[in-house]
Amino acid sequence: MAEGNAQSRYVRLTKEQAPVEDITPGELNQPIEVPQLIVHRCHECGQTLPESYQPPADEDWTTGICGCADDTESCLSGLFCPCVLFGRNVETLREDIPWTNACVCHAICVEGGMAVAAATALLHGIDPKTSFLICESLFFAWWMCGIYTGLFRQSLQKKYHLKNSPCDPCLVHCCMHSCALCQEHREMKNHLSDNAVMPTTAVDPPPIQQMSSSNEEKTDSASPPEPSKDRESNNLELQPL
């Protein structure tokens, strides 16, 4: 290889050239996204979804927030004993959680705070000393009512793809707790009734067919009938000795 040869394919390196930039550790080990390997999964069950899957749009609730009169049983339960109605709703949505656990948690957090405030006001009266405890108990009940039951309402909306009606789930329970419980009960009841009424088509299996080979049929038709014992006895003749 000649240095001055213009047709040479090699380049001579000199000390005057700029140094190569340093590579930080881990720079070449960055993950690469491959579109063919990206898998979309369901947020609820983790099942793999096809590439053509499009999430359904959010739908309206089947009943309004003020439609408590549509179901008298849930209306009375939500008005006088909301903890029981909340437990039933949680058990319907999550079968792994018994209704008694949700009912007890609701009674301790919501009804418990209201009971402490009422007992303080009746026993010690309302004065500057007890007013702070009363307000703190009511605020705890109001805050737990919005957070604890609002999370359940969010799970319900995610499962059935429902819109925020009339506003954020936590804010709905803070302002209209009993009405929200009744609306959730009616919504799950309507969805369960729709799934139960779905028509089913009964399909009868085809009849069982028995096929025989052609060779067996030929052998059966070619074989002569066996003579009977009666014919052999009739053909015997007496011969003189």
Side-chain angles (χ1 to χ4, degrees):
M1 179 185 66
E3 296 181 0
N5 189 3
Q7 298 180 356
S8 177
R9 294 177 298 173
Y10 300 95
V11 179
R12 183 178 181 179
L13 299 179
T14 60
K15 296 182 179 180
E16 290 77 10
Q17 292 180 351
V20 182
E21 297 181 358
D22 295 335
I23 300 176
T24 57
E27 183 178 357
L28 301 179
N29 297 329
Q30 299 297 327
I32 301 175
E33 294 184 359
V34 181
Q36 290 78 4
L37 300 179
I38 298 177
V39 179
H40 300 281
R41 297 183 180 275
C42 179
H43 298 286
E44 293 292 332
C45 60
Q47 184 179 2
T48 304
L49 300 175
E51 297 180 359
S52 58
Y53 173 79
Q54 295 293 336
D58 293 339
E59 301 178 356
D60 295 329
W61 294 67
T62 55
T63 58
I65 190 68
C66 298
C68 301
D70 298 342
D71 190 355
T72 308
E73 182 180 358
S74 63
C75 179
L76 296 176
S77 180
L79 181 61
F80 296 103
C81 197
C83 59
V84 176
L85 182 60
F86 177 74
R88 297 296 185 186
N89 293 346
V90 172
E91 186 180 35
T92 304
L93 184 65
R94 299 278 303 274
E95 297 181 356
D96 56 333
I97 301 178
W99 73 274
T100 53
N101 293 0
C103 179
V104 171
C105 292
H106 187 281
I108 294 175
C109 297
V110 181
E111 283 85 350
M114 299 174 63
V116 170
T120 304
L122 291 175
L123 298 177
H124 303 283
I126 302 176
D127 53 19
K129 296 181 179 180
T130 59
S131 59
F132 177 77
L133 179 60
I134 294 174
C135 295
E136 187 178 11
S137 301
L138 292 177
F139 178 79
F140 174 78
W142 176 76
W143 181 77
M144 289 301 300
C145 177
I147 299 299
Y148 181 57
T149 57
L151 293 176
F152 163 75
R153 188 178 179 90
Q154 287 182 351
S155 302
L156 179 65
Q157 293 181 197
K158 186 183 296 184
K159 181 177 181 179
Y160 296 118
H161 304 282
L162 301 173
K163 298 179 180 180
N164 290 339
S165 175
C167 55
D168 184 75
C170 296
L171 188 59
V172 172
H173 276 280
C174 288
C175 301
M176 308 175 67
H177 179 58
S178 298
C179 295
L181 291 178
C182 296
Q183 184 188 24
E184 294 162 4
H185 179 79
R186 295 192 305 271
E187 189 70 24
M188 289 186 293
K189 186 177 180 180
N190 294 335
H191 279 279
L192 292 177
S193 61
D194 293 342
N195 296 334
V197 178
M198 291 180 62
T200 57
T201 304
V203 179
D204 297 332
I208 300 175
Q209 299 179 358
Q210 297 180 355
M211 301 180 64
S212 59
S213 61
S214 59
N215 295 332
E216 294 179 359
E217 295 179 356
K218 290 181 180 180
T219 55
D220 294 342
S221 60
S223 60
E226 297 181 357
S228 61
K229 295 181 179 181
D230 296 338
R231 290 183 180 180
E232 292 180 355
S233 60
N234 294 334
N235 293 334
L236 294 178
E237 294 180 357
L238 296 175
Q239 297 180 359
L241 297 174

